[in-house]
């Protein structure tokens, strides 16, 4: 396995970094947070104009048809800048499974995404362990009736479609494209400015054209689930990168007892711990998305390792960054608070460290 990005991937990374450095600068983020808007439309349109929203979309929808590694590259840069845009929701939770399994008519929903003219999302989480499905889809004529509750759905009100996984009669899992107007959406608390919602489906009827790919064999759900985890750990990888850089600069310039903080051995050791947590997540992220791109059989296991690192060691490392900053780390006029909130947010989306360890243990037990 080669951890070096190829030329195309490096160009995507450079382009994303340039756009977000310009559009998600500190002053712009402060102005956005005062606006109470659900997302930064200017940055969203800038990403579209740069062609970044079409990177993983299929070619017949106007995209470049690239894969998990390229998606991770973009989402990691979003995390580095804590940019308030619905890239994770629209691409990882929706565009990837639609592009992989959708009918031509369903893939046509992706075309406006390349221009930033629409938002899509997916209902990856339910109450209970991450990845489990209790929502049901009962056959009704040529369509289905959906019942159940989804949690932590990003941009549910703003999306044109919500991808809803549900268990059909016979035990299979299908993914359904549902219009937000058909469900009951209740706002949920979020650690960041990103809107999260509880989505209740109470006898919601959808037609035959709503079933992604027209089948409920679980393939679309597997793609959605893996893409959701891969996207979240990529964002978390960018978040800890940004927090570490901020903390390094602070400890270099902040003085105590006539010396820079970075000159104290205890501070150096703590910075080293943060770096180790960051590198461990980086390795797991690139290993998992590479395996996804190759269709490797152990992709699920490596994703679980990445998710655990994002939920536990990285969150602890963010606490260390806060500690090394002292009181200013909690000041909302200083950018570290965003990284801390985003890191916690990613951990919530992934289900938490203990849940990810349970998932990893179950995967290992299956191989025994």
């Amino acid at each position: 396995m080669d951890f070096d990005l190829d030329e195309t991937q490096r160009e995507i990374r450079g382009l994303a970094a340039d756009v977000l450095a310009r559009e998600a600068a500190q002053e712009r983020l402060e102005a956005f947070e005062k606006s109470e808007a659900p997302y930064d439309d200017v940055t969203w349109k800038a990403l579209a104009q740069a062609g970044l929203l079409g990177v993983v979309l299929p070619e017949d929808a106007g995209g470049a048809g690239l894969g998990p590694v390229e998606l991770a590259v973009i989402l990691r840069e979003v995390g580095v800048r804590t940019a308030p845009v619905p890239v994770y929701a629209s691409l990882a939770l929706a565009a990837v499974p639609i592009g992989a399994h959708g009918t031509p008519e369903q893939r046509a929903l992706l075309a406006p995404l390349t221009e930033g003219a629409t938002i899509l999302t997916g209902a990856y989480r339910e109450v209970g362990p991450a990845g489990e499905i209790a929502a049901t889809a009962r056959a009704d004529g040529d369509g289905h009736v959906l019942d159940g509750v989804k949690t932590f759905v990003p941009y549910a009100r703003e999306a044109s479609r919500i991808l809803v996984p549900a268990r059909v009669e016979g035990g299979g899992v299908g993914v359904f494209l549902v219009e937000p107007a058909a469900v009951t959406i209740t706002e949920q608390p979020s650690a960041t400015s990103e809107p999260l919602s509880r989505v209740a489906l109470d006898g919601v009827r959808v037609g035959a054209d709503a079933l992604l790919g027209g089948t409920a064999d679980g393939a679309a759900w597997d793609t959605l689930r893996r893409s959701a985890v891969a996207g979240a750990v990529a964002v978390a990888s960018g978040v800890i990168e940004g927090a570490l850089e901020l903390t390094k600069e602070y400890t270099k310039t902040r003085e105590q007892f006539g010396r820079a903080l970075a000159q104290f051995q205890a501070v150096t050791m703590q910075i080293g711990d943060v770096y180790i947590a960051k590198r461990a997540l980086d390795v797991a992220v690139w290993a998992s998305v590479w395996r996804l791109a190759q269709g490797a059989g152990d992709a699920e296991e490596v994703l679980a390792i990445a998710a655990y690192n994002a939920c536990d060691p990285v969150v602890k490392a963010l606490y260390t960054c806060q500690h090394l900053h002292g009181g200013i780390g909690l000041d909302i006029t200083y950018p570290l608070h965003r990284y801390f909130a985003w890191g916690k947010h990613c951990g919530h989306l992934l289900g938490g460290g203990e849940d990810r360890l349970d998932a990893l243990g179950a995967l290992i037990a299956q191989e025994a």
Side-chain angles (χ1 to χ4, degrees), residues 20-251:
L20 292 168
R22 181 178 67 251
E23 302 294 341
Q26 170 74 358
E27 299 78 11
R28 287 281 302 277
L29 292 176
E30 290 177 357
F32 163 76
E33 288 166 352
K34 294 175 183 177
S35 73
E36 298 185 356
Y39 64 97
D40 185 348
D41 185 60
V42 174
T43 303
W44 178 244
K45 291 294 176 59
L47 291 170
Q49 290 170 2
L52 291 165
L53 298 185
V55 163
V56 298
L57 272 59
E59 294 181 7
D60 60 4
L66 299 179
V69 176
E70 291 77 15
L71 177 60
V73 167
I74 295 171
L75 288 174
R76 195 174 187 278
E77 292 304 318
V78 170
V80 168
R81 292 290 174 177
T82 60
V85 284
V87 179
Y88 171 72
S90 292
L91 299 186
L93 297 183
V96 169
I98 292 174
H101 301 282
T103 63
E105 293 76 16
Q106 291 167 341
R107 289 200 301 274
L109 295 170
L110 300 176
L113 187 55
T114 62
E115 302 174 358
T118 191
I119 294 172
L120 300 166
T121 191
Y124 163 62
R125 290 295 313 275
E126 292 187 3
V127 175
E132 292 194 3
I133 299 296
T136 61
R138 172 173 53 84
D140 182 50
D142 62 348
H144 289 82
V145 175
L146 307 180
D147 290 283
V149 174
K150 303 292 182 177
T151 58
F152 299 135
V153 183
Y155 300 99
R157 295 187 190 277
E158 293 75 20
S160 60
R161 295 290 191 284
I162 303 172
L163 270 65
V164 176
R167 197 167 298 280
V168 301
E169 294 168 307
V173 176
V175 176
F176 298 84
L177 280 69
V178 180
E179 295 185 7
V183 301
T184 301
I185 298 174
T186 307
E187 183 180 348
Q188 286 188 301
S190 172
T192 70
S193 61
E194 180 176 79
L196 290 180
S197 298
R198 175 185 186 272
V199 174
L201 304 109
D202 186 10
V204 175
R205 191 187 189 284
V206 294
D209 59 347
L211 180 58
L212 188 59
T215 63
D217 58 3
W221 165 233
D222 285 343
T223 299
L224 170 55
R225 177 169 48 82
R226 291 168 183 163
S227 182
V229 175
V233 296
V235 173
S237 175
V239 165
I240 190 60
E241 172 84 20
L244 177 58
E245 288 303 311
L246 202 62
T247 306
K248 283 164 51 181
E249 289 304 311
Y250 181 80
T251 56

